[in-house]
């Protein structure tokens, strides 16, 4: 998780600066950063809050952007079901995209193990601090950050570096490429639904490759000679 902390910190700083320049009251922005803890949802709903959009539209936008966590939760269930509902609800606040990716790579077998909870909590704590501290700094010093620094583009590059560092084999490369193409193709969809389309496309491609791999391996194995 430490290897991705710099990218998360850059994205948190950008989100903090964007919120700081939104004109919303400082207590409300701090509460949003600490309680919502979802960068993409925060950035998607900021323009709606600034324009005075109805609360239902704001809630619907945040819900659509974060629908991907339904998929993540379904994947996490075989590992965490033994913890009980209260602990799982508490963990849900700390869960993030990179926690999911790193956890699944570390524990590919969908079954509980004693070392999973410490691993999850350690990564989630690093992720939370890497996000909240720079985000609050961005909130407080938003007026001191010149617009010509191009900090938004720097954040995009940081996230791109984080994403590429997670590509470990041909399967993750193909799934990432499919997700990128789907996100661009569905960009015109409202409420940032292109994010959900990209995730669904990547998951579908991953499942397809996962089912195709054993069949190819079986075909490649030479049959035993008859006696």
């Amino acid at each position: 998780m430490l290897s991705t902390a710099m990218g998360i910190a850059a994205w948190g700083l950008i989100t903090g600066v964007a919120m700081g320049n939104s004109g919303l009251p400082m207590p409300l922005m701090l509460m949003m950063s600490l309680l919502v803890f979802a960068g993409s949802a925060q950035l998607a709903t900021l323009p709606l809050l600034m324009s005075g959009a109805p609360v239902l539209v704001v809630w619907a936008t945040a819900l659509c952007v974060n629908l991907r966590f339904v998929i993540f939760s379904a994947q996490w269930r075989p590992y965490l079901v033994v913890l009980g509902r209260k602990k799982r609800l508490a963990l849900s606040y700390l869960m993030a995209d990179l926690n999911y990716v790193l956890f699944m790579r570390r524990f590919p077998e969908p079954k509980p193990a004693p070392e999973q909870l410490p691993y999850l909590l350690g990564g989630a704590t690093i992720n939370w601090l890497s996000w909240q501290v720079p985000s609050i700094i961005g909130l407080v010093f938003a007026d001191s950050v010149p617009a010509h620094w191009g900090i938004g583009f720097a954040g995009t590059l940081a996230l791109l570096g984080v994403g590429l560092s997670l590509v470990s084999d041909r399967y993750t490369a193909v799934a990432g490429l499919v997700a990128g193409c789907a996100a661009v193709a569905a960009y015109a969809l409202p409420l940032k639904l292109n994010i959900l389309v990209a995730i669904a496309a990547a998951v579908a491609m991953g499942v397809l490759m996962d089912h195709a791999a054993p069949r190819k391996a079986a075909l490649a194995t030479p049959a035993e000679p008859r006696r």
Side-chain angles (χ1 to χ4, degrees):
M1 198 71 209
L2 286 174
S3 60
T4 61
M6 289 300 294
I8 296 169
W11 191 236
L13 180 64
I14 293 160
T15 304
V17 171
M19 292 176 64
N21 291 325
S22 66
L24 296 174
M26 180 59 77
L28 181 62
M29 291 187 291
L30 283 172
M31 187 173 69
M32 185 177 184
S33 178
L34 292 171
L35 296 182
V36 177
F37 186 39
S40 53
Q42 290 173 232
L43 290 176
T45 55
L46 264 183
L48 300 175
L49 291 172
M50 294 167 63
S51 63
V55 175
L56 284 178
V57 175
V58 176
W59 277 97
T61 302
L63 179 65
C64 290
V65 171
N66 284 332
L67 273 178
R68 65 190 186 279
F69 284 99
V70 176
I71 301 173
F72 296 168
S73 296
Q75 296 288 319
W76 256 317
R77 180 175 173 75
Y79 301 92
L80 306 179
V81 69
V82 295
L83 296 179
R85 185 172 298 172
K86 289 183 179 179
K87 286 186 178 178
R88 294 203 306 272
L89 284 174
L91 281 174
S92 66
Y93 166 73
L94 294 170
M95 296 300 101
D97 302 69
L98 289 177
N99 294 123
Y100 168 79
V101 173
L102 295 176
F103 183 89
M104 290 300 171
R105 194 164 65 179
R106 175 68 175 80
F107 303 102
E109 291 294 326
K111 57 183 181 181
E115 65 271 23
Q116 289 172 356
L117 184 58
Y119 181 87
L120 197 58
L121 288 175
T125 302
I126 294 173
N127 184 68
W128 191 89
L129 291 173
S130 301
W131 175 266
Q132 293 293 357
V133 173
S135 181
I136 292 173
I137 291 174
L139 276 174
V140 175
F141 297 103
D143 295 336
S144 305
V145 179
H148 65 268
W149 280 12
I151 194 169
F153 184 63
T156 302
L157 290 178
L159 286 178
L160 185 62
V162 170
L164 290 176
S165 69
L166 297 174
V167 176
S168 57
D169 52 29
R170 181 166 58 91
Y171 298 105
T172 52
V174 172
L177 183 63
V178 168
C181 293
V184 173
Y187 184 74
L189 290 177
L191 303 176
K192 302 288 184 183
L193 283 174
N194 62 320
I195 297 175
L196 187 62
V197 171
I199 293 171
V203 170
M205 179 55 67
V207 171
L208 185 64
M209 289 188 295
D210 191 45
H211 282 275
R215 185 177 178 183
K216 288 183 178 179
L219 291 175
T221 303
E224 293 184 2
R226 294 183 177 178
R227 296 180 180 176

